[in-house]
């Protein structure tokens, strides 16, 4: 499909745009295949037009920022889920003397007053 050096840069730009769309839609499973294809295309870019390379660099940097933001969001979600799971198992309270007293679900330490 792509034959010349300019075509190779155009193919890589197209691939980077597909990668951006995959990141934005959360289709992370397709990124591994795209990474392999990017490696091949990058290896074939020796001596390419510097202007086109700057465009590639800019597009790749934007994708990197998007991936970093997606990773940050996943980590925040993991922390939140961990907090929810931890809270569902019980919590720590303090008695009159300031001593920590764990309150756990189903251990009889929780008293319901009417």
């Amino acid at each position: 499909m792509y034959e010349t050096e300019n075509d190779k840069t155009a193919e890589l730009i197209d691939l980077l745009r597909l990668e951006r769309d995959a990141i934005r839609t959360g289709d992370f499973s397709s990124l591994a295949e795209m990474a392999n294809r990017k490696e091949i295309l990058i290896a074939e870019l020796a001596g390419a037009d510097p202007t086109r390379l700057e465009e590639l660099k800019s597009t790749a940097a934007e994708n990197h920022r998007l991936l970093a933001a997606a990773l940050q969001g996943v980590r925040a979600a993991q922390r939140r889920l961990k907090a929810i799971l931890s809270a569902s198992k019980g919590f720590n309270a303090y008695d009159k003397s300031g001593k920590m007293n764990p309150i756990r679900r189903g251990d009889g330490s929780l008293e319901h007053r009417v």
Side-chain angles (χ1 to χ4, degrees):
M1 180 172 157
Y2 294 93
E3 300 289 330
T4 67
E5 179 181 298
N6 284 337
D7 290 340
K8 294 289 183 187
T9 57
E11 183 178 3
L12 187 54
I13 288 171
D14 289 345
L15 185 61
L16 288 170
R17 289 180 181 147
L18 286 173
E19 181 183 59
R20 179 193 62 215
D21 293 341
I23 295 167
R24 287 184 173 173
T25 60
D27 182 17
F28 300 114
S29 61
S30 65
L31 295 180
E33 182 183 323
M34 288 183 196
N36 293 333
R37 184 66 188 136
K38 281 192 312 185
E39 286 181 32
I40 293 167
L41 289 170
I42 289 169
E44 296 173 356
L45 286 180
D49 178 27
T51 306
R52 296 290 281 180
L53 291 178
E54 273 304 312
E55 184 179 354
L56 287 169
K57 182 180 175 183
S58 172
T59 305
E62 176 62 22
N63 286 358
H64 177 75
R65 284 189 295 276
L66 288 171
L67 269 174
L71 183 59
Q72 185 178 3
V74 167
R75 287 183 177 150
Q78 286 175 330
R79 284 191 303 273
R80 182 68 181 134
L81 284 173
K82 185 178 178 181
I84 290 168
L85 287 173
S86 177
S88 73
K89 294 176 184 175
F91 61 95
N92 294 322
Y94 296 90
D95 62 15
K96 293 178 187 177
S97 65
K99 181 180 169 193
M100 185 171 37
N101 185 19
I103 308 292
R104 300 292 177 248
R105 194 174 174 175
D107 69 355
S109 62
L110 188 60
E111 179 184 330
H112 180 72
R113 295 184 184 180
V114 181

